[in-house]
Amino acid sequence: MKSLKHLFGIADLDREQIEYLVNLGDSFIDINRRSLKKAPTLRGKTVINLFFENSTRTRTSFEIAGKRLSADVINISASTSATKKGESLLDTGQTLAAMQPHVLVIRHSISGTCEFLAEHLENTAIVNAGDGAHEHPTQILTDLLTLKQAWGTPEGKTITMVGDIAHSRVARSHLLAAKKLGYKMRIVAPRTLLPAEVERYGCEVYHDFDEALPGSDAVYMLRVQSERLTDSCAFPSIREYHEAYGLNSQRLKKAGDDCLVLHPGPMNRGVEIATDVADSVKSHILAQVEHGVAIRMAVLAALCGGDGGDDGKE
Ligand code: NCD
């Protein structure tokens, strides 16, 4: 398998690498469930989490993942970093890289931040924890681990993704993964929340949620990314959005008994998802959160050579 130097996006991974990371994540689930939650895999390695956007799940799970594997983990959020004093992103990146961490995990509102920094920083592996509306690779690997647990393989299954596709890095990364792994994506959104030429990803596009549900093996709900919405008229009101694009248990019946419900979080209950679905047995949303830790352990281990490979760095 091609070794990993950085993790920028699903676009850069081939099927073998995706399956390798999902399987490695699978093997780490157990460490996270034990009473002694520690393995020496990344002893002596340093991971810096640099978050310029809000995050609960992703930031915490990267921190826990590093600590489970005995890495030294440092967390920096934009509100406490020197960027608030006018330092450029590049200067912040070079400053942190000068402290010789093995991995820099970055979340930023600008697409391409990770690739940009990687061009300028030597000897530091960079992981994209979400860049603008571009990619969010570890979320997709997390979802694939959740689907592996439920189905064995996603191949041939149909995932119906609903909501703000235009501003969602989760949607974009899933559309790329679907092509590589052979699952089908149905996209459901109002025209105002659809990216231009979305069909080029090979997905089916619906504007009527109820029409898309029959034959769906999973329904994946997305939050409206209000922080990225420049047009406040994307839909008339929350009530109307919920009526047309919200998932409740009544609507879910149209998808058949075995349909799973997924959401990357944070959920906006009463907007894209009703409480009766979010808390139902069909919801795998908390399983996604748990698997997020295992996948981030896998990604850190693969980048630091703690997966049995060699990162070429002592
Ligand atoms: C997603 C993100 O940040 O892109 N959340 C996450 O990482 N779990 C989706 C979202 O913010 O709605």
Side-chain angles (χ1 to χ4, degrees):
M1 189 192 67
K2 270 195 289 165
S3 69
L4 273 184
K5 190 161 178 239
H6 304 286
L7 179 59
F8 298 144
I10 296 293
D12 308 312
L13 300 177
D14 59 28
R15 183 183 180 132
E16 196 188 354
Q17 289 172 310
I18 294 172
E19 287 175 345
Y20 173 77
L21 289 169
V22 172
N23 291 338
L24 189 60
D26 202 0
S27 75
F28 282 136
I29 291 176
D30 189 46
I31 297 181
N32 202 31
R33 287 184 181 168
R34 296 203 297 241
S35 64
L36 187 62
K37 300 173 192 294
K38 205 78 164 172
T41 318
L42 298 183
R43 202 166 47 203
K45 309 284 182 183
T46 304
V47 177
I48 299 182
N49 294 321
L50 178 58
F51 276 61
F52 291 94
E53 271 191 349
N54 296 341
S55 174
T56 302
R57 276 147 285 267
T58 308
R59 201 202 61 74
T60 312
S61 58
F62 266 112
E63 180 176 357
I64 293 180
K67 289 181 171 169
R68 295 274 190 267
L69 295 180
S70 307
D72 297 313
V73 183
I74 289 89
N75 298 305
I76 303 173
S77 75
S79 55
T80 55
S81 77
T83 49
K84 282 274 174 220
K85 297 183 178 176
E87 187 174 64
S88 72
L89 171 69
L90 181 55
D91 282 331
T92 302
Q94 283 175 330
T95 299
L96 295 174
M99 298 181 201
Q100 306 294 328
H102 290 81
V103 184
L104 196 50
V105 178
I106 301 170
R107 170 169 284 194
H108 202 284
S109 58
I110 297 175
S111 302
T113 299
C114 296
E115 286 91 332
F116 167 74
L117 280 180
E119 273 173 29
H120 295 87
L121 310 182
E122 278 168 27
N123 284 329
T124 309
I126 294 190
V127 179
N128 182 2
D131 61 333
H134 180 225
E135 280 239 36
H136 194 356
T138 58
Q139 179 64 48
I140 276 55
L141 296 169
T142 294
D143 301 339
L144 292 172
L145 177 52
T146 306
L147 296 176
K148 178 175 189 252
Q149 298 267 318
W151 297 334
T153 169
E155 195 160 359
K157 301 280 190 186
T158 298
I159 301 181
T160 297
M161 188 170 263
V162 190
D164 183 1
I165 309 295
H167 303 98
S168 172
R169 49 199 175 205
V170 174
R172 199 168 170 281
S173 294
H174 255 297
L175 287 164
L176 294 168
K179 268 196 168 175
K180 295 181 191 219
L181 297 191
Y183 57 96
K184 294 190 204 81
M185 294 282 292
R186 288 181 185 168
I187 292 298
V188 185
R191 283 174 216 282
T192 46
L193 295 178
L194 262 187
E197 297 173 38
V198 66
E199 291 90 348
R200 73 176 188 274
Y201 289 100
C203 56
E204 293 172 14
V205 177
Y206 293 78
H207 301 296
D208 184 332
F209 192 178
D210 297 306
E211 263 178 35
L213 282 166
S216 300
D217 298 298
V219 183
Y220 197 119
M221 302 308 298
L222 294 172
R223 181 178 67 87
V224 176
Q225 311 270 300
S226 37
E227 69 278 25
R228 278 188 260 286
L229 267 182
T230 45
D231 177 9
S232 58
C233 306
F235 49 88
S237 69
I238 301 265
R239 189 183 57 76
E240 280 163 278
Y241 182 85
H242 183 69
E243 242 162 61
Y245 297 103
L247 185 62
N248 57 36
S249 57
Q250 200 54 33
R251 181 167 260 158
L252 185 57
K253 285 187 188 144
K254 300 197 169 114
D257 289 345
D258 297 329
C259 184
L260 317 179
V261 176
L262 301 170
H263 194 306
M267 286 187 278
N268 282 173
R269 290 173 186 251
V271 185
E272 74 275 10
I273 193 162
T275 284
D276 60 358
V277 176
D279 300 336
S280 74
V281 288
K282 295 196 165 186
S283 163
H284 288 237
I285 297 168
L286 290 177
Q288 287 173 278
V289 176
E290 181 183 4
H291 297 146
V293 175
I295 282 296
R296 283 151 189 140
M297 289 164 82
V299 167
L300 295 177
L303 288 170
C304 292
D307 57 342
D310 179 11
D311 68 341
K313 197 173 172 182
E314 286 308 306

